Amino acid sequence: MNPTLTVSDLTIAFGNRPPVVDLVSFSVDRGETLALVGESGSGKTLCCRSVLQILPPTAKILSGDITFKGTERSRSDENALILNLAEATEKELLKVRGNRIAMVFQEPMRSMSPLHTIGNQVSEVLHLHSECDAVEAKSIVLDEFDEVGFSDPERIYNAYPFELSGGMLQRAGIAMATVAKPDLLIADEPTTALDMTTQALVLGLLKKMQKKSAMALILVTHDLGVVANLADKVVVMNRGRVVESGTATRVLRDPVHGYTRMLIDSAAHMPDTDDSSLDKTGADSESDAPIMELIDVSKTFKSRASVPWRKPEIIKAVNHVDISLKRGSTLAVVGESGSGKSTLGRIAMGSIAPDSGGRVLFRATETSKGVDVTDMDGEQLSAFRRNAQMVFQDPRSSLSPRMQIVDAICEPLEIHQLGTKSERIDKAGQLLERVGLDNSMMRRYPHAFSGGQRQRLSIARALALEPKLLILDEPTSALDVSVQSQILDLLEQLRDDLQLSYMFISHDLAVVARIADEIAVMRRGFIVERAPTDLLLAEPKHPYTRALIAAHPEPDINKKIDLNAVAQGAGEPDSWEDAFKFQRNEIPPLQQYAPGHWLRARM
Amino acid sequence: MEILRFAFFRLLSMLATLLLVSALIFFIINLPPGDYLSNQIAELRATGQAAGVANAEFLRQEYSLDKSLPHQYLVWMGLLPGSHGFSGILQGDFGWSFEFDQPVADVVGQAMWMTILVNLVALLFVYIVALPLGVLAAAKSRTWVDYSTSLVGYLGLATPNFLLALILFYYGHRLFDLPIGGLMAPEFEGEPMSFAKLKSVLLHLIIPTFVIGTAGAAAMMQRLRANMLDELHKPYVTTAEAKGLPARARLIKYPLRVALNPFVADIGNLIPSLVSGSVLVSVVLGLQTIGPALLAALKSQDQFLAGFVLLFVAALTLLGTVISDVLLMLLDPRIRYGARAGTNRS
């Protein structure tokens, strides 16, 4: 018996360049889940695209077989379909794509046409591959929508992609892939673009769909936590080659290859809370004047309506936030997309003004008087800009591609007219070494650097003015796992060496767990829980915080995601337990639950 | 219903814009010193024709040209009473053409419809040519199909219109016996519309359409090609491929549908360039559109005629943008259902 899919000695190259996928082999059978794991550039996505023969035009399969064995579907095809996809004709492929082998993509928003309804795009699969008429097709699609967890399938059927959230769209994407009952489903980083809690729920859904129909599943991912939760077999790839493969249990428990071990070690772990070595540092050192205080900060955005007679939509991005950042410490703001965390960071930087009544106080030194960031004269503003700097998420777009590294780093110094030209260049050299780069790289352009190196450059630039406060907006989210952990090391070291204070904005509780002293969890513009890191992780009280902690996929086969805990807290704020529930006119107050531990609840 | 409300609102805002444009036009026409009558009076004085001078002075008062400029404007628009009470654009009195010594309405009456006809046909030509060629060039990008359509397109862009006109007339007449000049055979001029007249008009339209539309079609084709190329590699196209949609159906259903938006939005940009392009072409080809009248009026400072023609062209342009806005709303659910998004999320 052949397995559903067997890939053997697959080699793919772009043009005449050296192969980017080199002699890769794997197989997956009915009911089995195979994870293709690797960092960016490992060739994992090309491998899975080659199965459907939807490679970029310049990529060519140089050698190898991709043998697919489909199940018998009816009496008429007595012989099971066996096809070498690497040599199949376009006509044969059209019958396989979407029908026998389906695919779920990474970015749900961009993977659906913005101008066609969800129903149209999903039922298209049935129109292409089955003989059912429009009415039958619609009812099959509605059933499938019900299966993937939509409470109102009819409404989703008629909705356009821009009307749904990313998580719902990915559910629709899964429905689109499974509606024709394929033998093999390929999911290419299906949850990477989603929030933590949504990721957990979508992974749960994938597992459920697979169990139901016993299809084979290939999961392409960079996240070993995802692997631990879903996969039976693992293939670890690095630079186009398979470095290790085996059962998920074996690979995660006793990795043989150094690369696999490195991946497991650098994956973000939720710290163990069982060994409660809690030093409740929450209440002490209150006497020090904090470096930054946000007092009753709110921000309302008004979106212009597309047609003039409609009321403009009013979005309350941030609601009455009070936080203070202690000197030399790290405050993390954690939340999903749309929680208002980035808006809060921008308010703290003074780049957007809060609604009136909100104040942002900055104290350059312990003894200096607080300056209100929202109300500064030119001189104060210039001083503030030297003291507070920002590091952004995407190092590719936050460095000008037309500026040499030395110019990018010296620019802040030039703006503030510090030092002579040669002093500035010396300084740039020191900064590069400080962030772990060689100062001989000064004359290069950003494109010559990898993602992690570019993030180091962004940090060097932010440090040029010797600031006291850094606002880090998802500084590691765009990076590979191994690089992510190096950048976190660097940030920790810089904070301790230079006595910096950080405001660290992230969607990932596990990432901030290792660097933050205090964590504020945000949802819908409100802080729902705030406590020192150890306390928050050991004794999370709010259902949303619990969901965030539960949703984190651990690279440990014995610690699977507790979907119940996720589902309880990840839903709408009006679905939370009574004590935490947001009601139409009444939102519970943020109260001190224990020393240093604030909770938005009715107590 | 939403769409009707939207169209109504856009028409209202178009009228407001038109009012603003009318003021601009009037003041710009009057920027050069003097006017048609003062020029004439000076000339008559120089040749000592006193009777003519009196007549011209009478006309000056008749059309309030002795008043201040804002006053003149309001009289022209029909917002202030002139010598015959309220009688201006708003009341349907387009004023007097000094150059032709006739009411403006009589000078441009038929030409107005011919202008609309010529430009409408040119617009259709632009779209009918640009759509298939643009799609083809994008679908077969970097092949000989792409290169040859681009070559034809650039030739169309680069050839001066009047040169193209002369060449087409010469060969059109020699090879296909197409008529030269004018918009209809002379015997139909002033005749009521009939089948024979229509046929004559259509035959006469062939070459002007080519001449006016070629440059626009070439530019439009290049834009559509670029838009299509942007869309072709978007993830949603890959999704369609992974679903098993054959190449041609895929191209038409997804990227073309998305690339069509800017294509439609271009109507608003295209009309002014067609209209202003057709003014000169009409002079060269001897078409009885509004173009030659405009040129004559501007040369002799015949202000009411020039003002009306410019206002008419502005109205056509604005109407084009209204049409493209309404079409866009019909085409793009993101505009239509923008507000529904808020309620549907979560």
Side-chain angles (χ1 to χ4, degrees), chain B residues 18-327:
Chain B
L18 207 53
L19 199 67
L20 213 73
V21 169
S22 70
L24 267 176
I25 287 174
F26 193 83
F27 290 108
I28 289 174
I29 288 178
N30 279 295
L31 273 183
D35 55 48
Y36 185 85
L37 286 177
S38 61
N39 290 348
Q40 202 185 27
I41 290 170
E43 200 177 303
L44 291 174
R45 284 236 170 83
T47 51
Q49 292 169 291
V53 172
N55 185 28
E57 288 288 356
F58 167 74
L59 281 175
R60 266 178 84 87
Q61 276 170 17
E62 182 81 2
Y63 291 100
S64 310
L65 294 184
D66 47 350
K67 302 275 181 5
S68 72
L69 210 52
H71 188 105
Q72 285 184 41
Y73 167 69
L74 293 173
V75 171
W76 178 58
M77 286 303 290
L79 293 167
L80 274 184
S83 48
H84 298 289
F86 288 97
S87 177
I89 301 275
L90 293 176
Q91 287 81 18
D93 176 1
F94 301 148
W96 185 264
S97 165
F98 305 114
E99 171 82 9
F100 294 93
D101 216 15
Q102 278 180 44
V104 168
D106 292 353
V107 178
V108 297
Q110 211 197 359
M112 233 158 77
W113 297 111
M114 284 304 162
T115 310
I116 293 178
L117 180 71
V118 167
N119 284 299
L120 204 65
V121 173
L123 193 69
L124 281 178
F125 172 80
V126 166
Y127 277 91
I128 290 171
V129 170
L131 183 69
L133 287 185
V135 172
L136 206 63
K140 308 264 177 208
S141 77
R142 294 175 197 288
T143 64
W144 64 269
V145 179
D146 183 21
Y147 296 134
S148 45
T149 46
S150 293
L151 180 71
V152 173
Y154 286 126
L155 272 180
L157 265 179
T159 318
N161 275 346
F162 56 88
L163 183 64
L164 191 65
L166 293 177
I167 296 171
L168 285 178
F169 269 151
Y170 178 71
Y171 284 103
H173 189 67
R174 243 184 64 171
L175 302 176
F176 304 107
D177 198 25
L178 287 177
I180 292 179
L183 268 176
M184 60 193 83
E187 62 265 30
F188 292 115
E189 271 177 41
E191 290 290 306
M193 188 50 87
S194 65
F195 185 71
K197 178 170 173 176
L198 185 71
K199 199 179 148 202
S200 164
V201 169
L202 288 180
L203 268 182
H204 278 80
L205 266 179
I206 294 176
I207 287 174
T209 306
F210 256 94
V211 175
I212 298 170
T214 307
M220 184 70 99
M221 188 201 103
Q222 288 299 326
R223 273 200 297 275
L224 181 65
R225 174 181 177 273
N227 287 334
M228 283 285 285
L229 283 180
D230 281 349
E231 294 301 324
L232 277 179
H233 302 292
K234 294 262 174 83
Y236 67 86
V237 184
T238 313
T239 307
E241 191 178 5
K243 274 196 253 183
L245 198 60
R248 183 175 304 185
R250 191 164 73 223
L251 186 80
I252 292 171
K253 181 168 177 186
Y254 293 107
L256 178 58
R257 179 69 180 72
V258 178
L260 223 49
N261 272 8
F263 193 64
V264 167
D266 261 354
I267 296 179
N269 297 328
L270 198 61
I271 290 182
S273 65
L274 282 184
V275 171
S276 55
S278 70
V279 168
L280 283 181
V281 172
S282 296
V283 175
V284 175
L285 302 189
L287 308 180
Q288 296 90 331
T289 67
I290 219 160
L294 175 63
L295 199 66
L298 286 176
K299 279 204 296 209
S300 61
Q301 289 191 310
D302 187 354
Q303 60 172 339
F304 295 130
L305 180 59
F308 175 75
V309 173
L310 289 174
L311 198 59
F312 172 72
V313 172
L316 273 191
T317 306
L318 286 173
L319 200 64
T321 60
V322 171
I323 290 172
S324 78
D325 279 3
V326 171
L327 276 179

Side-chain angles (χ1 to χ4, degrees), chain A residues 302-328:
Chain A
K302 230 193 236 177
S303 77
R304 237 182 64 143
S306 57
V307 276
W309 54 85
R310 277 194 203 124
K311 273 197 193 137
E313 206 182 330
I314 287 175
I315 299 149
K316 296 213 82 177
V318 174
N319 286 288
H320 305 288
V321 166
D322 290 286
I323 43 175
S324 63
L325 172 54
K326 287 187 207 94
R327 196 170 300 280

Side-chain angles (χ1 to χ4, degrees), chain A residues 194-212:
Chain A
L194 305 177
D195 288 314
M196 277 320 218
T197 55
T198 316
Q199 154 164 313
L201 298 172
V202 168
L203 289 177
L205 173 66
L206 273 175
K207 207 182 210 168
K208 178 187 134 190
M209 298 304 280
Q210 186 202 16
K211 237 181 210 146
K212 204 190 73 183

